[in-house]
PDB file of all heavy atoms in Angstrom:
ATOM      1  N   PRO A 414     -17.345  33.043   9.037  1.00  0.00           N
ATOM      2  CA  PRO A 414     -18.558  32.852   8.213  1.00  0.00           C
ATOM      3  C   PRO A 414     -18.663  31.471   7.574  1.00  0.00           C
ATOM      4  O   PRO A 414     -19.759  31.068   7.170  1.00  0.00           O
ATOM      5  CB  PRO A 414     -18.428  33.938   7.136  1.00  0.00           C
ATOM      6  CG  PRO A 414     -17.457  34.933   7.692  1.00  0.00           C
ATOM      7  CD  PRO A 414     -16.532  34.173   8.559  1.00  0.00           C
ATOM      8  N   PHE A 415     -17.555  30.757   7.493  1.00  0.00           N
ATOM      9  CA  PHE A 415     -17.583  29.437   6.859  1.00  0.00           C
ATOM     10  C   PHE A 415     -18.178  28.366   7.790  1.00  0.00           C
ATOM     11  O   PHE A 415     -18.461  27.246   7.357  1.00  0.00           O
ATOM     12  CB  PHE A 415     -16.169  29.015   6.435  1.00  0.00           C
ATOM     13  CG  PHE A 415     -15.167  29.009   7.557  1.00  0.00           C
ATOM     14  CD1 PHE A 415     -15.012  27.897   8.381  1.00  0.00           C
ATOM     15  CD2 PHE A 415     -14.374  30.128   7.808  1.00  0.00           C
ATOM     16  CE1 PHE A 415     -14.093  27.891   9.406  1.00  0.00           C
ATOM     17  CE2 PHE A 415     -13.452  30.133   8.842  1.00  0.00           C
ATOM     18  CZ  PHE A 415     -13.314  29.014   9.644  1.00  0.00           C
ATOM     19  N   LEU A 416     -18.359  28.669   9.064  1.00  0.00           N
ATOM     20  CA  LEU A 416     -18.960  27.710   9.991  1.00  0.00           C
ATOM     21  C   LEU A 416     -20.465  27.615   9.749  1.00  0.00           C
ATOM     22  O   LEU A 416     -21.137  28.628   9.607  1.00  0.00           O
ATOM     23  CB  LEU A 416     -18.727  28.139  11.445  1.00  0.00           C
ATOM     24  CG  LEU A 416     -17.302  28.121  11.993  1.00  0.00           C
ATOM     25  CD1 LEU A 416     -17.310  28.633  13.435  1.00  0.00           C
ATOM     26  CD2 LEU A 416     -16.690  26.726  11.938  1.00  0.00           C
ATOM     27  N   THR A 417     -20.991  26.412   9.731  1.00  0.00           N
ATOM     28  CA  THR A 417     -22.444  26.264   9.700  1.00  0.00           C
ATOM     29  C   THR A 417     -22.980  26.594  11.098  1.00  0.00           C
ATOM     30  O   THR A 417     -22.248  26.493  12.084  1.00  0.00           O
ATOM     31  CB  THR A 417     -22.852  24.823   9.340  1.00  0.00           C
ATOM     32  OG1 THR A 417     -22.383  23.943  10.379  1.00  0.00           O
ATOM     33  CG2 THR A 417     -22.254  24.398   7.998  1.00  0.00           C
ATOM     34  N   PRO A 418     -24.245  26.980  11.210  1.00  0.00           N
ATOM     35  CA  PRO A 418     -24.807  27.243  12.542  1.00  0.00           C
ATOM     36  C   PRO A 418     -24.655  26.057  13.489  1.00  0.00           C
ATOM     37  O   PRO A 418     -24.373  26.235  14.673  1.00  0.00           O
ATOM     38  CB  PRO A 418     -26.278  27.545  12.247  1.00  0.00           C
ATOM     39  CG  PRO A 418     -26.268  28.100  10.844  1.00  0.00           C
ATOM     40  CD  PRO A 418     -25.188  27.349  10.132  1.00  0.00           C
ATOM     41  N   ALA A 419     -24.819  24.843  12.959  1.00  0.00           N
ATOM     42  CA  ALA A 419     -24.706  23.650  13.810  1.00  0.00           C
ATOM     43  C   ALA A 419     -23.277  23.474  14.316  1.00  0.00           C
ATOM     44  O   ALA A 419     -23.049  23.116  15.483  1.00  0.00           O
ATOM     45  CB  ALA A 419     -25.146  22.410  13.036  1.00  0.00           C
ATOM     46  N   HIS A 420     -22.295  23.736  13.455  1.00  0.00           N
ATOM     47  CA  HIS A 420     -20.884  23.614  13.832  1.00  0.00           C
ATOM     48  C   HIS A 420     -20.542  24.659  14.894  1.00  0.00           C
ATOM     49  O   HIS A 420     -19.933  24.351  15.934  1.00  0.00           O
ATOM     50  CB  HIS A 420     -20.003  23.787  12.588  1.00  0.00           C
ATOM     51  CG  HIS A 420     -18.569  23.445  12.809  1.00  0.00           C
ATOM     52  ND1 HIS A 420     -17.623  23.503  11.793  1.00  0.00           N
ATOM     53  CD2 HIS A 420     -17.892  23.054  13.913  1.00  0.00           C
ATOM     54  CE1 HIS A 420     -16.452  23.146  12.280  1.00  0.00           C
ATOM     55  NE2 HIS A 420     -16.580  22.872  13.564  1.00  0.00           N
ATOM     56  N   ALA A 421     -20.966  25.897  14.667  1.00  0.00           N
ATOM     57  CA  ALA A 421     -20.687  26.972  15.623  1.00  0.00           C
ATOM     58  C   ALA A 421     -21.356  26.686  16.967  1.00  0.00           C
ATOM     59  O   ALA A 421     -20.766  26.913  18.035  1.00  0.00           O
ATOM     60  CB  ALA A 421     -21.172  28.307  15.069  1.00  0.00           C
ATOM     61  N   ASN A 422     -22.556  26.172  16.910  1.00  0.00           N
ATOM     62  CA  ASN A 422     -23.282  25.861  18.134  1.00  0.00           C
ATOM     63  C   ASN A 422     -22.588  24.761  18.933  1.00  0.00           C
ATOM     64  O   ASN A 422     -22.463  24.832  20.156  1.00  0.00           O
ATOM     65  CB  ASN A 422     -24.711  25.449  17.784  1.00  0.00           C
ATOM     66  CG  ASN A 422     -25.625  25.446  18.989  1.00  0.00           C
ATOM     67  OD1 ASN A 422     -25.708  26.427  19.721  1.00  0.00           O
ATOM     68  ND2 ASN A 422     -26.306  24.334  19.207  1.00  0.00           N
ATOM     69  N   ARG A 423     -22.105  23.753  18.224  1.00  0.00           N
ATOM     70  CA  ARG A 423     -21.387  22.662  18.906  1.00  0.00           C
ATOM     71  C   ARG A 423     -20.125  23.178  19.575  1.00  0.00           C
ATOM     72  O   ARG A 423     -19.827  22.843  20.737  1.00  0.00           O
ATOM     73  CB  ARG A 423     -21.041  21.541  17.915  1.00  0.00           C
ATOM     74  CG  ARG A 423     -20.318  20.369  18.585  1.00  0.00           C
ATOM     75  CD  ARG A 423     -19.978  19.261  17.620  1.00  0.00           C
ATOM     76  NE  ARG A 423     -18.885  19.588  16.719  1.00  0.00           N
ATOM     77  CZ  ARG A 423     -17.592  19.546  17.065  1.00  0.00           C
ATOM     78  NH1 ARG A 423     -17.233  19.255  18.299  1.00  0.00           N
ATOM     79  NH2 ARG A 423     -16.653  19.826  16.176  1.00  0.00           N
ATOM     80  N   LEU A 424     -19.353  24.006  18.862  1.00  0.00           N
ATOM     81  CA  LEU A 424     -18.110  24.540  19.430  1.00  0.00           C
ATOM     82  C   LEU A 424     -18.400  25.449  20.625  1.00  0.00           C
ATOM     83  O   LEU A 424     -17.674  25.412  21.629  1.00  0.00           O
ATOM     84  CB  LEU A 424     -17.322  25.306  18.364  1.00  0.00           C
ATOM     85  CG  LEU A 424     -16.800  24.474  17.193  1.00  0.00           C
ATOM     86  CD1 LEU A 424     -16.044  25.366  16.205  1.00  0.00           C
ATOM     87  CD2 LEU A 424     -15.894  23.342  17.670  1.00  0.00           C
ATOM     88  N   ALA A 425     -19.462  26.251  20.531  1.00  0.00           N
ATOM     89  CA  ALA A 425     -19.815  27.137  21.650  1.00  0.00           C
ATOM     90  C   ALA A 425     -20.172  26.319  22.878  1.00  0.00           C
ATOM     91  O   ALA A 425     -19.755  26.649  24.002  1.00  0.00           O
ATOM     92  CB  ALA A 425     -20.973  28.045  21.251  1.00  0.00           C
ATOM     93  N   HIS A 426     -20.931  25.231  22.689  1.00  0.00           N
ATOM     94  CA  HIS A 426     -21.339  24.408  23.822  1.00  0.00           C
ATOM     95  C   HIS A 426     -20.187  23.587  24.403  1.00  0.00           C
ATOM     96  O   HIS A 426     -20.219  23.238  25.589  1.00  0.00           O
ATOM     97  CB  HIS A 426     -22.476  23.468  23.412  1.00  0.00           C
ATOM     98  CG  HIS A 426     -23.823  24.105  23.436  1.00  0.00           C
ATOM     99  ND1 HIS A 426     -24.300  24.864  22.383  1.00  0.00           N
ATOM    100  CD2 HIS A 426     -24.788  24.141  24.382  1.00  0.00           C
ATOM    101  CE1 HIS A 426     -25.510  25.325  22.695  1.00  0.00           C
ATOM    102  NE2 HIS A 426     -25.832  24.904  23.892  1.00  0.00           N
ATOM    103  N   ALA A 427     -19.205  23.275  23.591  1.00  0.00           N
ATOM    104  CA  ALA A 427     -18.090  22.468  24.081  1.00  0.00           C
ATOM    105  C   ALA A 427     -16.981  23.315  24.704  1.00  0.00           C
ATOM    106  O   ALA A 427     -16.423  22.963  25.743  1.00  0.00           O
ATOM    107  CB  ALA A 427     -17.512  21.622  22.944  1.00  0.00           C
ATOM    108  N   TYR A 428     -16.665  24.446  24.056  1.00  0.00           N
ATOM    109  CA  TYR A 428     -15.478  25.208  24.452  1.00  0.00           C
ATOM    110  C   TYR A 428     -15.786  26.601  24.978  1.00  0.00           C
ATOM    111  O   TYR A 428     -14.895  27.277  25.489  1.00  0.00           O
ATOM    112  CB  TYR A 428     -14.516  25.318  23.257  1.00  0.00           C
ATOM    113  CG  TYR A 428     -14.131  23.973  22.691  1.00  0.00           C
ATOM    114  CD1 TYR A 428     -14.725  23.481  21.528  1.00  0.00           C
ATOM    115  CD2 TYR A 428     -13.194  23.169  23.336  1.00  0.00           C
ATOM    116  CE1 TYR A 428     -14.400  22.232  21.017  1.00  0.00           C
ATOM    117  CE2 TYR A 428     -12.853  21.918  22.832  1.00  0.00           C
ATOM    118  CZ  TYR A 428     -13.464  21.464  21.675  1.00  0.00           C
ATOM    119  OH  TYR A 428     -13.132  20.215  21.186  1.00  0.00           O
ATOM    120  N   GLY A 429     -17.025  27.051  24.849  1.00  0.00           N
ATOM    121  CA  GLY A 429     -17.360  28.387  25.328  1.00  0.00           C
ATOM    122  C   GLY A 429     -16.487  29.437  24.663  1.00  0.00           C
ATOM    123  O   GLY A 429     -16.243  29.405  23.455  1.00  0.00           O
ATOM    124  N   THR A 430     -15.975  30.360  25.462  1.00  0.00           N
ATOM    125  CA  THR A 430     -15.160  31.454  24.920  1.00  0.00           C
ATOM    126  C   THR A 430     -13.806  30.989  24.410  1.00  0.00           C
ATOM    127  O   THR A 430     -13.096  31.757  23.762  1.00  0.00           O
ATOM    128  CB  THR A 430     -14.948  32.544  25.984  1.00  0.00           C
ATOM    129  OG1 THR A 430     -14.331  31.963  27.142  1.00  0.00           O
ATOM    130  CG2 THR A 430     -16.277  33.170  26.392  1.00  0.00           C
ATOM    131  N   ARG A 431     -13.426  29.746  24.696  1.00  0.00           N
ATOM    132  CA  ARG A 431     -12.143  29.239  24.201  1.00  0.00           C
ATOM    133  C   ARG A 431     -12.259  28.640  22.796  1.00  0.00           C
ATOM    134  O   ARG A 431     -11.281  28.131  22.253  1.00  0.00           O
ATOM    135  CB  ARG A 431     -11.563  28.203  25.169  1.00  0.00           C
ATOM    136  CG  ARG A 431     -11.117  28.823  26.491  1.00  0.00           C
ATOM    137  CD  ARG A 431     -10.145  27.956  27.250  1.00  0.00           C
ATOM    138  NE  ARG A 431      -9.651  28.653  28.434  1.00  0.00           N
ATOM    139  CZ  ARG A 431      -8.681  28.187  29.230  1.00  0.00           C
ATOM    140  NH1 ARG A 431      -8.111  27.025  28.958  1.00  0.00           N
ATOM    141  NH2 ARG A 431      -8.276  28.883  30.277  1.00  0.00           N
ATOM    142  N   ALA A 432     -13.449  28.673  22.210  1.00  0.00           N
ATOM    143  CA  ALA A 432     -13.622  28.136  20.856  1.00  0.00           C
ATOM    144  C   ALA A 432     -12.703  28.826  19.860  1.00  0.00           C
ATOM    145  O   ALA A 432     -12.203  28.206  18.914  1.00  0.00           O
ATOM    146  CB  ALA A 432     -15.079  28.268  20.419  1.00  0.00           C
ATOM    147  N   THR A 433     -12.455  30.130  20.077  1.00  0.00           N
ATOM    148  CA  THR A 433     -11.595  30.858  19.144  1.00  0.00           C
ATOM    149  C   THR A 433     -10.151  30.370  19.214  1.00  0.00           C
ATOM    150  O   THR A 433      -9.392  30.568  18.266  1.00  0.00           O
ATOM    151  CB  THR A 433     -11.636  32.370  19.432  1.00  0.00           C
ATOM    152  OG1 THR A 433     -11.340  32.595  20.806  1.00  0.00           O
ATOM    153  CG2 THR A 433     -13.010  32.946  19.128  1.00  0.00           C
ATOM    154  N   LYS A 434      -9.762  29.726  20.314  1.00  0.00           N
ATOM    155  CA  LYS A 434      -8.398  29.201  20.418  1.00  0.00           C
ATOM    156  C   LYS A 434      -8.151  28.099  19.403  1.00  0.00           C
ATOM    157  O   LYS A 434      -7.061  27.979  18.852  1.00  0.00           O
ATOM    158  CB  LYS A 434      -8.120  28.669  21.828  1.00  0.00           C
ATOM    159  CG  LYS A 434      -7.900  29.743  22.888  1.00  0.00           C
ATOM    160  CD  LYS A 434      -7.620  29.102  24.239  1.00  0.00           C
ATOM    161  CE  LYS A 434      -7.238  30.139  25.287  1.00  0.00           C
ATOM    162  NZ  LYS A 434      -5.866  30.636  25.141  1.00  0.00           N
ATOM    163  N   LEU A 435      -9.162  27.269  19.156  1.00  0.00           N
ATOM    164  CA  LEU A 435      -8.938  26.184  18.199  1.00  0.00           C
ATOM    165  C   LEU A 435      -9.240  26.615  16.765  1.00  0.00           C
ATOM    166  O   LEU A 435      -8.757  26.008  15.813  1.00  0.00           O
ATOM    167  CB  LEU A 435      -9.747  24.945  18.588  1.00  0.00           C
ATOM    168  CG  LEU A 435     -11.270  25.001  18.585  1.00  0.00           C
ATOM    169  CD1 LEU A 435     -11.807  24.550  17.243  1.00  0.00           C
ATOM    170  CD2 LEU A 435     -11.819  24.092  19.684  1.00  0.00           C
ATOM    171  N   LEU A 436     -10.029  27.701  16.604  1.00  0.00           N
ATOM    172  CA  LEU A 436     -10.322  28.204  15.257  1.00  0.00           C
ATOM    173  C   LEU A 436      -9.221  29.126  14.750  1.00  0.00           C
ATOM    174  O   LEU A 436      -8.989  29.221  13.540  1.00  0.00           O
ATOM    175  CB  LEU A 436     -11.666  28.941  15.257  1.00  0.00           C
ATOM    176  CG  LEU A 436     -12.898  28.056  15.499  1.00  0.00           C
ATOM    177  CD1 LEU A 436     -14.125  28.910  15.789  1.00  0.00           C
ATOM    178  CD2 LEU A 436     -13.155  27.140  14.307  1.00  0.00           C
ATOM    179  N   GLY A 437      -8.550  29.809  15.683  1.00  0.00           N
ATOM    180  CA  GLY A 437      -7.408  30.647  15.323  1.00  0.00           C
ATOM    181  C   GLY A 437      -7.737  31.694  14.280  1.00  0.00           C
ATOM    182  O   GLY A 437      -8.758  32.367  14.342  1.00  0.00           O
ATOM    183  N   ASN A 438      -6.870  31.812  13.286  1.00  0.00           N
ATOM    184  CA  ASN A 438      -7.024  32.806  12.213  1.00  0.00           C
ATOM    185  C   ASN A 438      -7.607  32.205  10.937  1.00  0.00           C
ATOM    186  O   ASN A 438      -7.410  32.748   9.848  1.00  0.00           O
ATOM    187  CB  ASN A 438      -5.672  33.460  11.898  1.00  0.00           C
ATOM    188  CG  ASN A 438      -5.123  34.225  13.095  1.00  0.00           C
ATOM    189  OD1 ASN A 438      -5.860  34.936  13.773  1.00  0.00           O
ATOM    190  ND2 ASN A 438      -3.826  34.064  13.362  1.00  0.00           N
ATOM    191  N   ALA A 439      -8.296  31.096  11.071  1.00  0.00           N
ATOM    192  CA  ALA A 439      -8.836  30.410   9.889  1.00  0.00           C
ATOM    193  C   ALA A 439      -9.769  31.335   9.107  1.00  0.00           C
ATOM    194  O   ALA A 439     -10.608  32.029   9.674  1.00  0.00           O
ATOM    195  CB  ALA A 439      -9.582  29.157  10.315  1.00  0.00           C
ATOM    196  N   LYS A 440      -9.608  31.339   7.795  1.00  0.00           N
ATOM    197  CA  LYS A 440     -10.465  32.125   6.904  1.00  0.00           C
ATOM    198  C   LYS A 440     -11.431  31.241   6.122  1.00  0.00           C
ATOM    199  O   LYS A 440     -12.346  31.743   5.473  1.00  0.00           O
ATOM    200  CB  LYS A 440      -9.606  32.917   5.906  1.00  0.00           C
ATOM    201  CG  LYS A 440      -8.581  33.840   6.552  1.00  0.00           C
ATOM    202  CD  LYS A 440      -9.245  34.933   7.381  1.00  0.00           C
ATOM    203  CE  LYS A 440      -8.208  35.883   7.973  1.00  0.00           C
ATOM    204  NZ  LYS A 440      -8.796  36.768   9.010  1.00  0.00           N
TER     205      LYS A 440
END
Side-chain angles (χ1 to χ4, degrees):
F415 56 86
L416 293 178
T417 64
H420 190 178
N422 194 52
R423 181 180 73 79
L424 295 180
H426 278 83
Y428 304 101
T430 57
R431 291 199 174 187
T433 53
K434 285 181 173 284
L435 64 92
L436 293 167
N438 297 317
K440 303 297 182 192

